[in-house]
Amino acid sequence: MTCAREAQSAPRCPSKVITRELRATLLTDDAVSIEALYEPSPASGAEPSDHLVLVVGHGFTGALERPALRRVASAFRQRTAVITFSFRGHGRSGGRSTVGDREVLDLAAAVRWARRLGHRRVATVGFSMGGSVVIRQAALYGKNDEIQPVHVAHDGERTGRSPGRTAPAAAATDGEAPGAPGEVADGAAPDAVIAVSAPARWYYRGTAPMRRVHWAVTRPAGRLVSRYGLRTRIDPRGWDVDPLSPVAAAPLIAPTPLLIVHGDRDPYFPLDHPRMLASAADPSASELWIEPGFGHAETAASPALLTRIADWAAAHA
């Protein structure tokens, strides 16, 4: 495994885990710059490389410096090291948001960075849009021996990866062998996956908050509001082909452990979404937590819930 895919500012393959806070600009397979922050855990006692790191994906309109994500990172850091980053089109990262499609490349770059910082155990945690990304990324870059097909149908839904969009780059870099379309790049597969407040399917408009999200994504006026009001830059081209949906990706994750967390007061996605994900996932490698009183994503997650999530990751990664 090489360090070819990180930008010049990222560290180069240290032999031991980094023990200080570190900022870096990562480069995705499609050449988008991603701002990222590594924070080591104050906990000690084990071999540093055995320490878990949580790679955290925020929700739509979130970013590395947003207070909700910083609060999540602070809670997780009481248990383990944490990497936070801004998805494309958010914060100081480059590119434009594709609302869950090419964001799998951003997450893959962050997971590879975690490996190159010396961590052998990496769990991905995603909230809302980030939850859909961690599920999809684990399926597309997972440890399953079979390379998944480019398009996977699910219940008649048009799903899959459009050529030239989500598919990982196949070109060789710094001596790396080119991979077949869809082949996993070294170091990008997570050891455990946690999806919090994630949607199961695309185009859901059954709640008022999701109707507002669709307006912000699909309408020129909405994208203008997103850019200047929410500091989120959205790709106006949309999807050429619907990406592999979370519910179609869920059964492809095993044997990697999957935890699905959802609140019974989520104003965006009702409980049929987590139940669909849990029904699709391999029951021998997945769990579903329905949390009483919990709302939506990182803004509503309590410190107690975040601690339980970190402890689950430590036990399963």
Side-chain angles (χ1 to χ4, degrees), residues 87-290:
F87 282 119
R88 61 186 62 208
H90 294 74
R92 294 185 177 89
S93 290
R96 294 184 179 184
S97 175
T98 61
V99 200
D101 179 10
R102 296 179 73 84
E103 282 75 9
V104 296
L105 304 177
D106 310 345
L107 182 61
V111 172
R112 290 191 191 105
W113 188 43
R115 303 286 188 196
R116 287 160 187 159
L117 291 176
H119 287 276
R120 290 198 291 256
R121 301 168 63 213
V122 180
T124 55
V125 186
F127 295 86
S128 193
M129 180 190 78
S132 71
V133 173
V134 299
I135 291 172
R136 297 185 63 248
Q137 193 267 348
L140 297 172
Y141 291 80
K143 296 180 177 180
N144 194 319
D145 290 336
E146 296 182 4
I147 297 173
Q148 302 302 335
V150 171
H151 296 279
V152 180
H154 180 84
D155 292 342
E157 182 182 8
R158 186 167 63 97
T159 61
R161 288 182 294 159
S162 53
R165 291 187 63 80
T166 304
T173 307
D174 286 1
E176 289 187 74
E183 189 170 352
V184 174
D186 284 346
D191 299 300
V193 181
I194 301 101
V196 184
S197 306
R201 56 193 185 274
W202 304 134
Y203 305 116
Y204 179 72
R205 294 179 172 88
T207 58
M210 282 309 299
R211 289 191 287 273
R212 289 194 292 269
V213 169
H214 279 277
W215 175 82
V217 171
T218 62
R219 301 295 182 87
R223 290 192 293 271
L224 192 67
V225 170
S226 296
R227 182 181 184 92
Y228 294 104
L230 302 174
R231 293 177 290 174
T232 302
R233 308 172 304 281
I234 301 169
D235 190 336
R237 296 173 297 175
W239 296 336
D240 296 330
V241 178
D242 291 355
L244 181 72
S245 69
V247 72
L252 308 179
I253 294 175
T256 301
L258 168 65
L259 173 62
I260 301 159
V261 182
H262 213 90
D264 65 358
R265 294 187 181 179
D266 191 313
Y268 287 79
F269 303 114
L271 291 178
D272 62 310
H273 285 260
R275 287 168 178 157
M276 285 180 66
L277 292 171
S279 295
D282 185 334
S284 68
S286 62
E287 293 183 36
L288 171 62
W289 295 355
I290 301 296

